[in-house]
Amino acid sequence: EAGVTQSPTHLIKTRGQQATLRCSPISGHTSVYWYQQALGLGLQFLLWYDEGEERNRGNFPPRFSGRQFPNYSSELNVNALELEDSALYLCASSYAYGYTFGSGTRLTVV
Amino acid sequence: SQQGEEDPQALSIQEGENATMNCSYKTSINNLQWYRQNSGRGLVHLILIRSNEREKHSGRLRVTLDTSKKSSSLLITASRAADTASYFCAGAGSYQLTFGKGTKLSVIP
């Protein structure tokens, strides 16, 4: 069984640009979670999607947005990139209680 | 916002020794989970303990939960160099996991 896959692995963007990160959950998992792990700040909850709907959102500005597709894959979009958006973005899908995480996308804003 | 704090923030031990990491959380939880992260990559689920459980074992891992003190501990016995990683506790509330800042464990061969 394939795990949670994220693409791209690395992404370098210029301040002010937009970034799109993608996540494919484990087959059969309908919930997708996005987390940001910035240096020294731990894992911060960003967004939760389930059955195509946004279910909950963390304390992030509206320029962080996303969506979930009918096949349960998900996109995270970050508009008007700022230097402090540089971080590892982790996606997870869940089954019952435990989460399975992807390897992450490392976004660098220069 | 973070769920709580891990203690210590960093821990360095010799191979074969036991490693104990503590975690405190702030809000009520349905369960508490521990994860491991190698070199800033994805997290690996280690163990889950439900709010009505006090202790759980899995291989070399032992987790305790004290809901009255809102705290948990993770014990790794007979540590190996391959256990070197960051370890995070995460409280599962109604909606999503909320993570602590993690303990960075270094196991010296």
Side-chain angles (χ1 to χ4, degrees), chain A residues 6-43:
Chain A
Q6 290 188 246
S7 63
T9 306
H10 293 88
L11 191 57
I12 300 175
K13 292 286 186 177
T14 303
R15 190 169 49 183
Q17 285 187 317
Q18 179 196 38
T20 298
L21 289 63
R22 296 180 177 82
C23 172
S24 292
I26 288 175
S27 177
H29 290 189
T30 62
S31 278
V32 171
Y33 302 81
W34 287 95
Y35 284 82
Q36 182 197 64
Q37 188 178 26
L39 197 62
L41 291 180
L43 286 104

Side-chain angles (χ1 to χ4, degrees), chain A residues 1-2 6 13 16 18 31 34-35 38 42 44 50 57-60 62-63 74 87 90 95 106-108:
Chain A
E1 178 184 78
Q6 290 188 246
K13 292 286 186 177
Q18 179 196 38
S31 278
W34 287 95
Y35 284 82
Q44 304 284 336
D50 182 59
R57 181 183 182 85
N59 189 24
F60 281 84
R63 57 190 187 82
S74 177
L90 292 164
Y95 59 98
R106 185 162 295 282
L107 172 64
T108 303

Side-chain angles (χ1 to χ4, degrees), chain A residues 9-10 33 35 37 40-45 48 55-56 88 90 95 97-104 106, chain B residues 1-2 30-31 33 35 37 39-45 48 50 88 92 94-101:
Chain A
T9 306
H10 293 88
Y33 302 81
Y35 284 82
Q37 188 178 26
L41 291 180
L43 286 104
Q44 304 284 336
F45 167 71
W48 168 30
R55 301 297 185 183
N56 200 20
L88 180 68
L90 292 164
Y95 59 98
Y97 299 105
Y99 285 30
T100 302
F101 281 83
S103 297
R106 185 162 295 282
Chain B
S1 62
Q2 298 299 129
N30 297 320
N31 63 73
Q33 303 176 29
Y35 288 81
Q37 184 179 39
S39 303
R41 299 309 293 176
L43 277 74
V44 175
H45 181 261
L48 178 154
R50 291 183 169 78
F88 295 87
S94 300
Y95 298 113
Q96 74 277 336
L97 292 181
T98 305
F99 286 84
K101 290 192 174 182

